[in-house]
Amino acid sequence: MNTPLHCAGLALLLCATGVAVAAPPDTAKAAGDACETAVADTVRRMRGRDAQEVQFIGAKRAISPTPGDETGVKGEGRYRGPAGAVSFTYSCAFNAETGATGGVVFREIGPARPSGEASWQPDLSKLSPEACEAATAAALKDKYPRVGRIAFDGESRQLRPAPNAGTSLEGQGALERAPGMNSVPFTYRCEFEPHGGKVVSVQTKD
């Protein structure tokens, strides 16, 4: 049965190694539920309004041990996109002692992504929307020294491929150019370096 879930979690990808040993039933269920929750949140955070009704295929869930006494979870799911259902695979690690998830990675296997984008997948473990928004806020403060309130629309975030194998994050927000002024909308675009995930450039338009 497919179950829509949501929560939070992004970290380094962990790969299962060694001989697979079945996890205890309680641990396996906790790991699967927690990882699907984390993956659903990651999909929504990275795809914004393009991701609706995130669901998972229970029969495709696979549980295995990973290094460091963690439990690895792999599986498949889908979400409803603007052009129809989008299928994806995912992997995640669950720490039974702390209850924390990590290594959340999802890869879309189609359809419904624009042509030319299907084979592109960013390394989500190295991208920080918060770092992009902090850099954007700093750029706006340089542009408007008396800036008042700056607000970001998290649901407008969109990841796109950038030149030289980089990744860009685009979004929208609103700002007061000075205290007491009416808020005006703005758009922003950050580029991340390909490997370290550092924000290397910021563009804003209002």
Side-chain angles (χ1 to χ4, degrees):
M1 182 174 66
N2 298 334
T3 305
L5 296 166
H6 63 279
C7 191
L10 264 183
L12 299 177
L13 172 63
L14 299 176
C15 297
T17 61
V19 178
V21 178
D26 290 346
T27 300
K29 184 179 187 306
D33 291 348
C35 278
E36 288 182 356
T37 297
V39 171
D41 179 72
T42 301
V43 171
R44 293 190 184 99
R45 184 149 68 101
M46 293 301 168
R47 295 306 183 210
R49 295 189 181 96
D50 282 353
Q52 302 291 328
E53 300 178 9
V54 181
Q55 298 180 327
F56 295 91
I57 303 171
K60 297 292 186 178
R61 180 193 286 182
I63 309 292
S64 61
T66 68
D69 296 325
E70 292 187 325
T71 301
V73 183
K74 294 184 178 181
E76 297 182 15
R78 59 176 173 264
Y79 66 81
R80 179 169 57 83
V86 181
S87 298
F88 62 87
T89 60
Y90 70 88
S91 61
C92 170
F94 173 75
N95 188 312
E97 183 175 345
T98 64
T101 58
V104 178
V105 173
F106 77 94
R107 179 176 295 275
E108 289 162 349
I109 54 179
R113 299 306 297 173
S115 176
E117 202 174 306
S119 61
W120 171 80
Q121 293 294 332
D123 184 349
L124 303 180
S125 69
K126 297 179 180 178
L127 301 181
S128 170
E130 292 76 14
C132 171
E133 291 174 358
T136 299
L140 290 171
K141 289 176 182 177
D142 286 342
K143 188 175 182 180
Y144 302 108
R146 298 181 60 243
V147 68
R149 178 173 173 270
I150 300 174
F152 293 91
D153 179 4
E155 293 188 353
S156 70
R157 293 170 178 164
Q158 294 289 325
L159 286 173
R160 303 184 188 279
N164 301 318
T167 299
S168 70
L169 174 65
E170 301 175 6
Q172 303 172 13
L175 79 149
E176 296 175 349
R177 291 170 178 160
M181 292 184 66
N182 292 333
S183 293
V184 295
F186 70 89
T187 59
Y188 64 93
R189 181 177 184 273
C190 298
E191 284 194 19
F192 297 89
E193 65 180 7
H195 303 295
K198 179 181 177 182
V199 177
V200 294
S201 70
V202 180
Q203 299 175 351
T204 66
K205 183 177 181 181
D206 56 87

